[in-house]
Amino acid sequence: MNKQFYLEIIHVDKNSGARYGLLHTPHGVVEVPMFMPVGTLATVKTLSPEEIKKMGAGVILANTYHLSLRPGADIVEKAGGLHKFMNYDGPILTDSGGFQVFSLAQNRKITEEGVYFRNHLNGDKLFFSPEVAIEIEEKLGADIIMSFDECIHYPADYEYVKASVERTLRWAKRGKDAHKREDQALFGIVQGSDFPELRKYCAEELIKIDFPGYAIGGTSIGEPKEVCLQMLDMTTPYLPIDKPRYLMGVGSIDYILEGVARGIDMFDCVLPTRIARHGALMTSRGRVNIRDAKYKEDFTPLDPECDCYTCKNYTKAYLRHLYVADETFGKRLLSYHNLRFLIRMMEQARLAIREDRFLEFKQQMIDQFGNTRGF
Protein backbone atom coordinates (compact mmCIF):
# COMPACT_ATOMS: atom_id res chain seq x y z
CA MET A 1 0.00 0.00 0.00
CA ASN A 2 1.20 3.50 -0.87
CA LYS A 3 1.48 5.25 2.49
CA GLN A 4 0.95 8.64 0.81
CA PHE A 5 -2.22 7.64 -1.03
CA TYR A 6 -4.85 5.11 -0.03
CA LEU A 7 -8.55 4.74 0.70
CA GLU A 8 -9.68 3.79 4.19
CA ILE A 9 -13.23 2.42 4.15
CA ILE A 10 -14.92 3.22 7.47
CA HIS A 11 -18.52 2.10 6.90
CA VAL A 12 -20.71 0.65 4.15
CA ASP A 13 -24.43 1.40 4.22
CA LYS A 14 -26.29 -1.81 5.08
CA ASN A 15 -28.99 -1.23 2.47
CA SER A 16 -26.93 -0.12 -0.55
CA GLY A 17 -23.41 -0.01 -1.94
CA ALA A 18 -22.82 3.48 -0.54
CA ARG A 19 -19.60 3.71 1.43
CA TYR A 20 -18.05 6.24 3.77
CA GLY A 21 -14.30 6.52 4.00
CA LEU A 22 -11.16 8.60 4.24
CA LEU A 23 -8.98 9.26 1.22
CA HIS A 24 -5.38 9.79 2.28
CA THR A 25 -3.31 12.00 -0.04
CA PRO A 26 0.04 13.82 0.16
CA HIS A 27 -1.88 17.06 0.80
CA GLY A 28 -4.27 15.87 3.45
CA VAL A 29 -7.04 13.43 4.30
CA VAL A 30 -10.50 14.02 2.82
CA GLU A 31 -13.83 12.32 3.39
CA VAL A 32 -15.65 10.37 0.69
CA PRO A 33 -18.03 10.30 -1.04
CA MET A 34 -17.29 13.84 -2.16
CA PHE A 35 -18.03 16.37 -4.86
CA MET A 36 -14.92 18.02 -6.33
CA PRO A 37 -15.16 21.60 -7.67
CA VAL A 38 -13.65 22.11 -11.12
CA GLY A 39 -10.89 24.68 -11.54
CA THR A 40 -10.12 24.16 -15.21
CA LEU A 41 -7.39 26.79 -15.55
CA ALA A 42 -6.10 26.45 -11.97
CA THR A 43 -9.03 28.50 -10.69
CA VAL A 44 -12.66 27.75 -9.84
CA LYS A 45 -14.36 30.50 -11.82
CA THR A 46 -14.89 33.73 -9.78
CA LEU A 47 -13.88 32.07 -6.47
CA SER A 48 -10.64 32.08 -4.51
CA PRO A 49 -8.86 28.95 -3.24
CA GLU A 50 -9.46 30.19 0.30
CA GLU A 51 -13.21 30.36 -0.35
CA ILE A 52 -13.22 26.88 -1.87
CA LYS A 53 -11.48 25.43 1.15
CA LYS A 54 -13.67 27.36 3.61
CA MET A 55 -16.84 25.92 2.06
CA GLY A 56 -15.60 22.41 2.83
CA ALA A 57 -14.17 21.23 -0.49
CA GLY A 58 -11.58 18.48 -0.36
CA VAL A 59 -10.08 17.72 -3.76
CA ILE A 60 -10.35 20.27 -6.57
CA LEU A 61 -9.68 19.69 -10.26
CA ALA A 62 -7.50 21.31 -12.86
CA ASN A 63 -7.27 20.49 -16.55
CA THR A 64 -4.13 19.16 -18.22
CA TYR A 65 -5.08 20.15 -21.76
CA HIS A 66 -6.03 23.73 -20.94
CA LEU A 67 -3.06 24.31 -18.64
CA SER A 68 -0.69 22.91 -21.24
CA LEU A 69 -1.86 25.72 -23.53
CA ARG A 70 -2.10 28.47 -20.92
CA PRO A 71 0.25 29.17 -19.15
CA GLY A 72 2.12 25.99 -20.09
CA ALA A 73 3.22 23.11 -17.88
CA ASP A 74 6.80 24.43 -17.68
CA ILE A 75 5.59 27.68 -16.09
CA VAL A 76 3.57 25.79 -13.48
CA GLU A 77 6.52 23.54 -12.74
CA LYS A 78 8.83 26.55 -12.29
CA ALA A 79 6.28 28.01 -9.87
CA GLY A 80 6.63 24.89 -7.73
CA GLY A 81 3.64 22.97 -9.07
CA LEU A 82 -0.08 23.65 -9.01
CA HIS A 83 -0.38 23.83 -5.23
CA LYS A 84 2.02 26.77 -5.00
CA PHE A 85 0.99 28.30 -8.33
CA MET A 86 -2.67 28.59 -7.34
CA ASN A 87 -2.12 28.80 -3.57
CA TYR A 88 -4.20 25.73 -2.68
CA ASP A 89 -2.74 23.46 -0.01
CA GLY A 90 -5.37 20.74 -0.28
CA PRO A 91 -5.42 17.77 -2.67
CA ILE A 92 -5.63 18.49 -6.42
CA LEU A 93 -6.61 16.20 -9.29
CA THR A 94 -5.71 16.75 -12.93
CA ASP A 95 -7.43 14.91 -15.75
CA SER A 96 -5.30 13.81 -18.67
CA GLY A 97 -6.84 16.15 -21.23
CA GLY A 98 -8.29 13.23 -23.16
CA PHE A 99 -11.88 14.49 -23.01
CA GLN A 100 -10.84 17.96 -24.23
CA VAL A 101 -8.70 16.53 -27.04
CA PHE A 102 -11.69 14.57 -28.30
CA SER A 103 -14.34 17.24 -27.66
CA LEU A 104 -12.65 20.59 -28.33
CA ALA A 105 -9.73 19.99 -30.64
CA GLN A 106 -10.15 20.29 -34.39
CA ASN A 107 -9.10 17.86 -37.14
CA ARG A 108 -8.18 14.98 -34.87
CA LYS A 109 -6.18 12.05 -36.18
CA ILE A 110 -6.02 9.05 -33.84
CA THR A 111 -3.06 6.71 -34.24
CA GLU A 112 -1.59 3.99 -32.07
CA GLU A 113 1.08 6.47 -31.03
CA GLY A 114 -1.40 9.12 -29.86
CA VAL A 115 -3.64 11.88 -31.18
CA TYR A 116 -2.68 14.62 -33.61
CA PHE A 117 -4.97 17.63 -33.47
CA ARG A 118 -5.16 21.40 -33.65
CA ASN A 119 -5.22 23.81 -30.73
CA HIS A 120 -8.81 25.04 -30.35
CA LEU A 121 -7.52 28.53 -29.48
CA ASN A 122 -5.23 29.31 -32.41
CA GLY A 123 -5.14 26.30 -34.71
CA ASP A 124 -1.56 25.24 -33.92
CA LYS A 125 -0.69 21.62 -34.57
CA LEU A 126 -0.41 19.59 -31.36
CA PHE A 127 0.17 15.99 -30.32
CA PHE A 128 -0.93 14.15 -27.18
CA SER A 129 0.04 10.62 -26.23
CA PRO A 130 0.01 8.70 -22.94
CA GLU A 131 3.62 9.70 -22.40
CA VAL A 132 3.02 13.37 -23.26
CA ALA A 133 0.01 13.55 -20.93
CA ILE A 134 1.96 11.97 -18.06
CA GLU A 135 4.90 14.32 -18.62
CA ILE A 136 2.57 17.34 -18.40
CA GLU A 137 0.74 15.98 -15.35
CA GLU A 138 4.01 15.31 -13.55
CA LYS A 139 5.06 18.90 -14.17
CA LEU A 140 1.71 20.16 -12.88
CA GLY A 141 2.22 18.08 -9.76
CA ALA A 142 -1.33 17.17 -8.69
CA ASP A 143 -1.92 14.49 -6.05
CA ILE A 144 -4.17 12.47 -8.38
CA ILE A 145 -3.62 12.23 -12.12
CA MET A 146 -5.55 10.46 -14.85
CA SER A 147 -4.55 8.09 -17.63
CA PHE A 148 -4.81 9.33 -21.21
CA ASP A 149 -7.73 7.50 -22.79
CA GLU A 150 -9.96 7.75 -25.83
CA CYS A 151 -13.28 9.36 -24.94
CA ILE A 152 -15.57 8.22 -27.73
CA HIS A 153 -18.95 9.63 -28.71
CA TYR A 154 -22.29 8.06 -27.79
CA PRO A 155 -23.73 6.02 -29.33
CA ALA A 156 -20.98 4.06 -31.07
CA ASP A 157 -21.04 0.64 -32.71
CA TYR A 158 -19.63 -2.40 -30.95
CA GLU A 159 -16.61 -2.93 -33.19
CA TYR A 160 -15.42 0.66 -32.79
CA VAL A 161 -15.93 0.57 -29.02
CA LYS A 162 -14.05 -2.73 -28.78
CA ALA A 163 -11.08 -1.35 -30.73
CA SER A 164 -11.17 1.84 -28.64
CA VAL A 165 -11.14 -0.12 -25.38
CA GLU A 166 -8.13 -2.11 -26.53
CA ARG A 167 -6.35 1.12 -27.44
CA THR A 168 -7.27 2.70 -24.11
CA LEU A 169 -5.80 -0.32 -22.30
CA ARG A 170 -2.56 -0.13 -24.27
CA TRP A 171 -2.37 3.60 -23.58
CA ALA A 172 -3.05 2.98 -19.87
CA LYS A 173 -0.11 0.57 -19.68
CA ARG A 174 2.16 3.03 -21.52
CA GLY A 175 1.09 5.84 -19.22
CA LYS A 176 1.84 3.81 -16.11
CA ASP A 177 5.24 2.81 -17.49
CA ALA A 178 6.02 6.49 -18.12
CA HIS A 179 4.86 7.66 -14.69
CA LYS A 180 7.75 8.10 -12.24
CA ARG A 181 6.54 10.43 -9.47
CA GLU A 182 5.79 8.44 -6.32
CA ASP A 183 3.88 11.34 -4.75
CA GLN A 184 1.15 11.11 -7.41
CA ALA A 185 -1.62 8.52 -7.72
CA LEU A 186 -2.32 7.58 -11.35
CA PHE A 187 -5.89 6.36 -11.99
CA GLY A 188 -6.94 4.04 -14.79
CA ILE A 189 -10.14 4.90 -16.68
CA VAL A 190 -12.75 2.26 -17.53
CA GLN A 191 -14.34 2.70 -20.94
CA GLY A 192 -16.67 0.45 -22.93
CA SER A 193 -19.72 2.60 -23.72
CA ASP A 194 -22.96 0.70 -23.00
CA PHE A 195 -21.63 -2.78 -23.77
CA PRO A 196 -21.52 -4.88 -20.57
CA GLU A 197 -18.85 -7.31 -21.73
CA LEU A 198 -16.55 -4.47 -22.80
CA ARG A 199 -17.00 -2.61 -19.50
CA LYS A 200 -16.20 -5.82 -17.62
CA TYR A 201 -13.21 -6.58 -19.83
CA CYS A 202 -11.80 -3.07 -19.55
CA ALA A 203 -12.14 -3.03 -15.75
CA GLU A 204 -10.54 -6.45 -15.33
CA GLU A 205 -7.62 -5.61 -17.61
CA LEU A 206 -6.99 -2.29 -15.86
CA ILE A 207 -6.92 -4.08 -12.52
CA LYS A 208 -4.17 -6.34 -13.88
CA ILE A 209 -2.12 -3.22 -14.62
CA ASP A 210 -2.75 -2.29 -10.97
CA PHE A 211 -3.64 1.37 -10.47
CA PRO A 212 -4.16 3.01 -7.05
CA GLY A 213 -7.62 4.20 -8.16
CA TYR A 214 -10.10 3.81 -11.00
CA ALA A 215 -12.33 6.22 -12.88
CA ILE A 216 -15.45 5.46 -14.89
CA GLY A 217 -15.36 7.29 -18.21
CA GLY A 218 -17.67 7.54 -21.17
CA THR A 219 -20.68 8.81 -19.22
CA SER A 220 -22.27 12.28 -19.19
CA ILE A 221 -21.68 12.57 -22.92
CA GLY A 222 -25.30 12.74 -24.01
CA GLU A 223 -26.59 9.29 -23.11
CA PRO A 224 -30.00 8.92 -21.38
CA LYS A 225 -29.98 8.67 -17.59
CA GLU A 226 -30.94 5.02 -17.59
CA VAL A 227 -28.00 4.22 -19.87
CA CYS A 228 -25.60 6.09 -17.60
CA LEU A 229 -26.81 4.13 -14.58
CA GLN A 230 -26.55 0.91 -16.56
CA MET A 231 -22.92 1.77 -17.33
CA LEU A 232 -22.28 2.15 -13.61
CA ASP A 233 -23.96 -1.17 -12.91
CA MET A 234 -21.80 -2.76 -15.62
CA THR A 235 -18.60 -1.38 -14.11
CA THR A 236 -18.56 -0.98 -10.33
CA PRO A 237 -18.95 -4.71 -9.49
CA TYR A 238 -15.57 -5.35 -11.14
CA LEU A 239 -13.63 -2.57 -9.41
CA PRO A 240 -11.53 -3.24 -6.29
CA ILE A 241 -13.37 -2.61 -3.05
CA ASP A 242 -10.35 -1.08 -1.35
CA LYS A 243 -9.52 1.53 -3.98
CA PRO A 244 -11.24 4.86 -4.80
CA ARG A 245 -13.83 5.00 -7.58
CA TYR A 246 -14.32 8.20 -9.52
CA LEU A 247 -17.29 8.94 -11.81
CA MET A 248 -16.07 11.61 -14.19
CA GLY A 249 -18.07 14.66 -15.23
CA VAL A 250 -21.18 14.15 -13.09
CA GLY A 251 -22.58 17.05 -11.07
CA SER A 252 -26.37 16.84 -10.94
CA ILE A 253 -28.06 15.88 -7.69
CA ASP A 254 -29.77 12.73 -8.93
CA TYR A 255 -26.76 11.38 -10.84
CA ILE A 256 -24.43 11.96 -7.88
CA LEU A 257 -26.70 10.21 -5.40
CA GLU A 258 -27.37 7.30 -7.74
CA GLY A 259 -23.60 6.97 -8.11
CA VAL A 260 -23.07 7.02 -4.34
CA ALA A 261 -25.64 4.24 -3.97
CA ARG A 262 -23.53 2.17 -6.34
CA GLY A 263 -20.31 2.67 -4.41
CA ILE A 264 -18.80 5.69 -6.19
CA ASP A 265 -16.53 7.86 -4.03
CA MET A 266 -15.65 10.88 -6.18
CA PHE A 267 -17.59 13.19 -8.51
CA ASP A 268 -16.77 16.35 -10.44
CA CYS A 269 -18.53 18.70 -12.83
CA VAL A 270 -18.64 22.33 -13.95
CA LEU A 271 -22.45 22.23 -13.59
CA PRO A 272 -22.89 24.11 -10.27
CA THR A 273 -20.76 27.10 -11.25
CA ARG A 274 -21.91 27.14 -14.88
CA ILE A 275 -25.62 27.24 -14.06
CA ALA A 276 -24.96 29.76 -11.29
CA ARG A 277 -23.52 32.19 -13.83
CA HIS A 278 -26.82 31.81 -15.70
CA GLY A 279 -28.91 32.49 -12.60
CA ALA A 280 -29.96 28.92 -11.73
CA LEU A 281 -29.62 27.93 -8.08
CA MET A 282 -29.99 24.69 -6.15
CA THR A 283 -31.81 25.28 -2.85
CA SER A 284 -33.54 23.27 -0.14
CA ARG A 285 -36.83 24.51 -1.64
CA GLY A 286 -35.93 23.31 -5.12
CA ARG A 287 -34.73 25.21 -8.16
CA VAL A 288 -34.58 29.02 -8.06
CA ASN A 289 -34.15 31.12 -11.21
CA ILE A 290 -32.89 34.31 -9.64
CA ARG A 291 -33.57 36.35 -12.77
CA ASP A 292 -37.35 35.91 -12.29
CA ALA A 293 -39.21 39.17 -11.62
CA LYS A 294 -40.90 37.72 -8.52
CA TYR A 295 -37.62 38.09 -6.63
CA LYS A 296 -37.30 41.82 -7.31
CA GLU A 297 -38.71 42.70 -3.90
CA ASP A 298 -37.93 39.45 -2.10
CA PHE A 299 -35.78 40.42 0.88
CA THR A 300 -35.40 36.89 2.27
CA PRO A 301 -32.30 34.67 2.02
CA LEU A 302 -31.79 32.57 -1.08
CA ASP A 303 -32.04 29.40 1.01
CA PRO A 304 -33.01 29.64 4.70
CA GLU A 305 -31.53 26.19 5.38
CA CYS A 306 -28.17 26.92 3.77
CA ASP A 307 -25.14 27.90 5.85
CA CYS A 308 -23.13 29.49 3.04
CA TYR A 309 -21.78 33.05 2.98
CA THR A 310 -24.27 34.07 0.31
CA CYS A 311 -27.34 32.90 2.19
CA LYS A 312 -26.16 34.32 5.50
CA ASN A 313 -25.53 37.80 4.16
CA TYR A 314 -27.64 38.60 1.07
CA THR A 315 -31.25 38.58 -0.06
CA LYS A 316 -32.81 37.26 -3.23
CA ALA A 317 -33.65 40.84 -4.22
CA TYR A 318 -29.99 41.85 -4.04
CA LEU A 319 -28.82 38.73 -5.84
CA ARG A 320 -31.36 39.34 -8.60
CA HIS A 321 -30.17 42.93 -8.89
CA LEU A 322 -26.56 41.81 -9.29
CA TYR A 323 -27.55 39.20 -11.87
CA VAL A 324 -29.67 41.58 -13.94
CA ALA A 325 -26.89 44.20 -13.77
CA ASP A 326 -24.36 41.55 -14.87
CA GLU A 327 -22.14 42.25 -11.90
CA THR A 328 -19.22 39.89 -11.31
CA PHE A 329 -19.91 39.91 -7.58
CA GLY A 330 -23.29 38.36 -8.27
CA LYS A 331 -21.69 35.50 -10.20
CA ARG A 332 -19.31 34.98 -7.28
CA LEU A 333 -22.13 34.81 -4.74
CA LEU A 334 -24.28 32.49 -6.82
CA SER A 335 -21.34 30.19 -7.62
CA TYR A 336 -20.39 30.09 -3.96
CA HIS A 337 -23.90 29.02 -3.01
CA ASN A 338 -24.26 26.25 -5.60
CA LEU A 339 -20.89 24.73 -4.73
CA ARG A 340 -21.58 24.88 -1.02
CA PHE A 341 -25.02 23.34 -1.63
CA LEU A 342 -23.48 20.26 -3.30
CA ILE A 343 -20.65 20.00 -0.79
CA ARG A 344 -23.16 20.23 2.07
CA MET A 345 -25.33 17.61 0.36
CA MET A 346 -22.34 15.28 0.34
CA GLU A 347 -21.76 15.97 4.04
CA GLN A 348 -25.36 14.95 4.68
CA ALA A 349 -24.94 11.89 2.44
CA ARG A 350 -21.88 10.77 4.40
CA LEU A 351 -23.83 11.07 7.65
CA ALA A 352 -26.72 9.10 6.15
CA ILE A 353 -24.31 6.34 5.09
CA ARG A 354 -22.84 6.09 8.59
CA GLU A 355 -26.39 5.82 9.98
CA ASP A 356 -27.49 3.23 7.35
CA ARG A 357 -30.23 5.45 5.95
CA PHE A 358 -28.66 6.52 2.68
CA LEU A 359 -31.43 5.16 0.44
CA GLU A 360 -34.02 7.21 2.31
CA PHE A 361 -31.85 10.30 2.03
CA LYS A 362 -31.31 9.71 -1.69
CA GLN A 363 -35.00 9.33 -2.41
CA GLN A 364 -35.86 12.41 -0.40
CA MET A 365 -33.41 14.52 -2.40
CA ILE A 366 -34.43 13.11 -5.76
CA ASP A 367 -38.14 13.59 -4.98
CA GLN A 368 -37.37 17.20 -4.10
CA PHE A 369 -35.26 18.02 -7.13
CA GLY A 370 -36.10 15.46 -9.78
CA ASN A 371 -33.75 15.30 -12.77
CA THR A 372 -31.23 18.11 -12.44
CA ARG A 373 -28.88 17.09 -15.25
CA GLY A 374 -30.14 19.89 -17.43
CA PHE A 375 -30.72 22.14 -14.42
Side-chain angles (χ1 to χ4, degrees):
M1 180 176 67
N2 186 332
K3 293 183 179 180
Q4 293 190 78
F5 184 92
Y6 63 95
L7 176 64
E8 179 184 2
I9 299 294
I10 305 297
H11 184 78
V12 178
D13 179 78
K14 292 180 180 179
N15 304 303
S16 70
R19 57 219 216 137
Y20 168 76
L22 301 175
L23 183 63
H24 297 254
T25 82
H27 284 86
V29 180
V30 293
E31 295 178 286
V32 296
M34 64 177 165
F35 177 79
M36 305 179 289
V38 176
T40 302
L41 282 160
T43 177
V44 178
K45 286 189 184 299
T46 75
L47 299 172
S48 72
E50 292 79 9
E51 289 172 316
I52 296 299
K53 193 155 191 178
K54 186 176 181 180
M55 69 174 66
V59 179
I60 62 174
L61 270 70
N63 184 269
T64 295
Y65 170 76
H66 288 288
L67 289 172
S68 72
L69 303 182
R70 297 178 296 180
D74 290 339
I75 297 294
V76 176
E77 184 180 36
K78 288 178 182 177
L82 275 173
H83 294 89
K84 290 186 177 179
F85 188 56
M86 63 185 292
N87 191 34
Y88 188 75
D89 62 2
I92 298 175
L93 182 154
T94 49
D95 62 17
S96 67
F99 176 79
Q100 287 71 33
V101 168
F102 289 97
S103 63
L104 293 179
Q106 303 298 313
N107 303 317
R108 293 184 307 275
K109 180 182 179 183
I110 304 172
T111 69
E112 184 61 28
E113 186 181 4
V115 184
Y116 295 86
F117 60 98
R118 289 190 179 275
N119 181 334
H120 75 288
L121 297 173
N122 60 19
D124 286 351
K125 293 181 179 179
L126 297 172
F127 172 73
F128 260 46
S129 68
E131 294 80 6
V132 169
I134 291 296
E135 179 183 4
I136 295 171
E137 290 190 277
E138 288 191 335
K139 289 180 178 179
L140 296 176
D143 303 82
I144 305 169
I145 66 175
M146 308 306 295
S147 298
F148 185 69
D149 64 332
E150 180 182 2
C151 185
I152 63 176
H153 61 278
Y154 176 87
D157 65 73
Y158 180 86
E159 290 305 319
Y160 186 87
V161 176
K162 184 174 186 299
S164 175
V165 165
E166 294 285 6
R167 182 184 299 113
T168 285
L169 289 170
R170 292 190 295 271
W171 284 0
K173 179 63 166 61
R174 284 168 52 188
K176 186 178 181 187
D177 290 344
H179 183 233
K180 305 303 179 188
R181 286 189 61 162
E182 295 183 358
D183 60 343
Q184 291 181 312
L186 172 63
F187 280 28
I189 304 176
V190 182
Q191 294 286 355
S193 190
D194 57 347
F195 298 102
E197 63 272 35
L198 294 181
R199 286 275 172 184
K200 177 176 183 290
Y201 171 72
C202 190
E204 291 176 339
E205 293 302 309
L206 286 173
I207 291 169
K208 292 177 184 177
I209 301 174
D210 190 22
F211 291 94
Y214 297 89
I216 300 174
T219 67
S220 294
I221 52 174
E223 78 284 353
K225 179 180 178 179
E226 60 271 18
V227 173
C228 176
L229 298 183
Q230 287 168 6
M231 290 180 185
L232 292 185
D233 292 334
M234 296 169 191
T235 307
T236 49
Y238 305 106
L239 298 179
I241 293 175
D242 61 343
K243 293 185 177 181
R245 303 164 177 172
Y246 166 29
L247 179 57
M248 307 177 76
V250 166
S252 63
I253 292 166
D254 51 342
Y255 278 61
I256 290 174
L257 296 177
E258 292 289 2
V260 171
R262 290 162 170 80
I264 302 298
D265 307 300
M266 305 161 63
F267 304 84
D268 82 284
C269 194
V270 298
L271 177 82
T273 50
R274 177 176 289 170
I275 64 174
R277 296 194 301 273
H278 290 87
L281 289 311
M282 304 174 183
T283 79
S284 62
R285 309 296 172 85
R287 174 180 176 139
V288 167
N289 293 317
I290 202 65
R291 61 184 176 273
D292 289 355
K294 64 182 178 180
Y295 300 119
K296 189 174 184 178
E297 297 184 18
D298 188 334
F299 304 110
T300 62
L302 175 61
D303 185 346
E305 296 183 23
C306 182
D307 60 3
C308 82
Y309 172 79
T310 300
C311 292
K312 283 184 174 180
N313 292 282
Y314 301 100
T315 66
K316 289 194 280 289
Y318 182 63
L319 294 172
R320 180 183 184 275
H321 158 67
L322 294 178
Y323 178 82
V324 171
D326 197 27
E327 285 289 340
T328 302
F329 185 49
K331 296 175 183 178
R332 279 172 45 78
L333 292 175
L334 299 179
S335 295
Y336 194 111
H337 167 78
N338 269 0
L339 279 178
R340 176 56 191 158
F341 180 89
L342 281 186
I343 289 169
R344 183 168 174 264
M345 182 186 80
M346 300 308 284
E347 293 171 353
Q348 295 169 331
R350 293 193 292 264
L351 178 61
I353 292 169
R354 296 199 299 271
E355 296 178 349
D356 295 313
R357 54 176 180 82
F358 177 75
L359 290 181
E360 291 88 341
F361 172 76
K362 174 177 77 77
Q363 196 57 52
Q364 175 189 347
M365 294 296 293
I366 291 176
D367 287 346
Q368 186 173 351
F369 288 92
N371 181 359
T372 59
R373 192 177 198 183
F375 199 90

